[in-house]
C-alpha cells in the first residue's frame, strides 16, 4: 500500500495576521455540538459547504436503504469533511455524528472555488491546503474500501497493520502503535469485536504478529 501523506491542516503556512484577513474572503461560521448530536447529513451531489473539525472527535456513518448503519471513518481535530467527500451512491445517506463535544467551522463551497477580488496570498494558500486535505481524504477512503474488500478478518487485520507500520513509522525494535482503540478498529473493519480479538490471539500464536493493546509488531 502507498505511504500516507504528511498530515495537512487547513491553516498550515498561514500567518496569524493573514488568518484575520481571511474572514471577509471566506465568511466562515462556527457551531458547537453535544455528544451524539448529528453535525451534518448529506447525499451524493453538488457540495454546498466544507466543514473542518476544530475541536473534539466525530464519526462518519453511512445509512443504507435497509436502515443499516455502518461506520466509514473517524474524524479528528483538524480533519475536513462534507458533501465533497460523499461517494456516488444515491441510495446511501451520510451522517457525521459527534463522539465528544465538538466545535466545527463551516465554509460555503462557492467561497473556496471563487477567488476573492484581491487574489490574496492567504486565499491561494488555503485553497492549496484544502486540495491537499482532499487528496488525503481520498487516500483514506480508498484504504478503507480496500480493507473492506478483504475476504477474512485476518486479511483485513494484516492489510491494516501493514499500512500503519509503513506509514506511521516504526520504533527501533520494529513496533508501532495503531491510532485507534481495538474496539474502534473492529468498527472500522466492520467485524465482530470478539471474533477479531480471537483472530489477533491466533495470529500471535501463528507467529505473524506480537504486541498488546494498541502496540503491534509484524514478525
Amino acid at each position: 500500500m502507498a505511504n500516507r501523506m504528511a498530515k495537512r491542516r487547513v491553516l498550515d503556512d498561514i500567518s496569524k495576521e493573514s488568518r484575520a484577513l481571511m474572514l471577509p474572503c471566506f465568511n466562515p461560521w462556527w457551531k458547537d455540538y453535544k455528544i451524539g448530536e448529528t453535525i451534518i447529513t448529506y447525499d451524493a451531489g453538488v457540495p454546498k459547504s466544507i466543514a473542518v473539525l476544530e475541536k473534539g472527535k466525530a464519526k462518519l456513518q453511512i445509512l443504507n436503504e435497509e436502515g443499516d448503519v455502518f461506520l466509514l471513518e473517524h474524524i479528528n481535530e483538524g480533519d475536513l469533511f462534507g458533501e465533497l467527500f460523499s461517494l456516488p451512491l444515491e441510495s446511501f445517506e451520510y451522517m457525521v455524528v459527534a463522539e465528544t463535544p465538538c466545535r466545527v467551522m463551516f465554509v460555503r463551497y462557492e467561497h473556496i472555488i471563487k477567488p476573492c477580488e484581491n487574489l490574496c496570498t492567504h486565499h491561494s494558500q488555503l485553497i492549496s491546503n484544502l486540495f491537499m486535505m482532499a487528496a488525503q481524504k481520498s487516500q483514506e477512503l480508498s484504504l478503507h474500501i480496500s480493507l473492506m474488500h478483504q475476504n477474512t478478518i485476518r486479511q483485513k487485520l494484516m492489510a491494516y497493520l501493514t499500512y500503519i507500520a509503513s506509514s506511521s513509522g516504526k520504533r527501533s525494535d520494529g513496533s508501532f502503535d495503531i491510532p485507534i482503540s481495538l474496539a474502534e478498529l473492529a468498527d472500522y473493519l466492520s467485524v465482530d469485536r470478539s471474533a477479531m480479538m480471537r483472530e489477533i490471539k491466533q495470529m500471535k500464536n501463528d507467529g505473524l504478529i506480537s504486541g498488546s493493546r494498541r502496540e503491534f509488531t509484524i514478525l
Side-chain angles (χ1 to χ4, degrees):
M1 295 183 183
N3 286 344
R4 183 165 47 185
M5 303 176 188
K7 194 70 174 181
R8 194 71 176 174
R9 301 296 183 186
V10 68
L11 296 177
D12 282 355
D13 300 323
I14 299 176
S15 67
K16 291 182 179 180
E17 294 78 11
S18 292
R19 294 178 191 183
L21 295 172
M22 285 168 52
L23 294 180
C25 296
F26 295 99
N27 195 26
W29 70 98
W30 289 262
K31 189 173 180 180
D32 295 318
Y33 297 88
K34 300 177 182 178
I35 297 175
E37 191 172 0
T38 298
I39 298 173
I40 189 174
T41 61
Y42 48 90
D43 304 310
V46 179
K48 300 180 183 66
S49 62
I50 287 178
V52 178
L53 184 61
E54 288 197 348
K55 181 181 179 182
K57 186 175 181 180
K59 58 185 176 183
L60 173 61
Q61 298 175 317
I62 291 182
L63 175 68
N64 65 17
E65 53 189 0
E66 284 79 31
D68 300 315
V69 178
F70 300 93
L71 173 70
L72 184 59
E73 66 169 338
H74 289 284
I75 300 172
N76 300 305
E77 290 184 6
D79 284 349
L80 195 67
F81 61 95
E83 296 100 334
L84 181 64
F85 307 106
S86 62
L87 299 175
L89 302 172
E90 294 183 358
S91 59
F92 284 64
E93 181 180 359
Y94 297 80
M95 303 172 293
V96 178
V97 179
E99 294 188 279
T100 66
C102 292
R103 183 170 178 78
V104 180
M105 180 183 76
F106 294 93
V107 179
R108 294 198 182 280
Y109 185 65
E110 61 184 23
H111 289 317
I112 295 172
I113 61 176
K114 296 179 181 179
C116 63
E117 295 179 357
N118 298 326
L119 296 176
C120 307
T121 301
H122 53 258
H123 193 137
S124 299
Q125 182 61 57
L126 187 139
I127 292 175
S128 175
N129 291 346
L130 288 174
F131 272 116
M132 285 293 295
M133 293 171 73
Q136 291 171 342
K137 183 69 64 177
S138 176
Q139 187 182 64
E140 291 166 0
L141 291 175
S142 294
L143 167 67
H144 198 183
I145 292 171
S146 175
L147 292 173
M148 298 305 292
H149 276 80
Q150 302 299 314
N151 294 323
T152 66
I153 295 177
R154 177 171 294 200
Q155 289 173 337
K156 289 182 179 182
L157 284 167
M158 283 303 298
Y160 176 79
L161 293 175
T162 299
Y163 171 75
I164 297 299
S166 66
S167 63
S168 62
K170 297 186 242 182
R171 302 185 184 92
S172 58
D173 62 356
S175 65
F176 58 92
D177 293 326
I178 63 173
I180 55 179
S181 69
L182 292 178
E184 291 171 331
L185 179 59
D187 287 339
Y188 180 72
L189 298 177
S190 291
V191 298
D192 178 76
R193 183 184 178 188
S194 297
M196 187 189 77
M197 297 304 295
R198 289 195 297 270
E199 188 60 46
I200 289 176
K201 182 179 180 180
Q202 188 59 50
M203 291 169 70
K204 291 178 180 178
N205 292 337
D206 292 343
L208 296 176
I209 60 174
S210 65
S212 61
R213 297 188 178 181
R214 293 191 182 191
E215 182 180 298
F216 287 90
T217 302
I218 298 177
L219 305 176

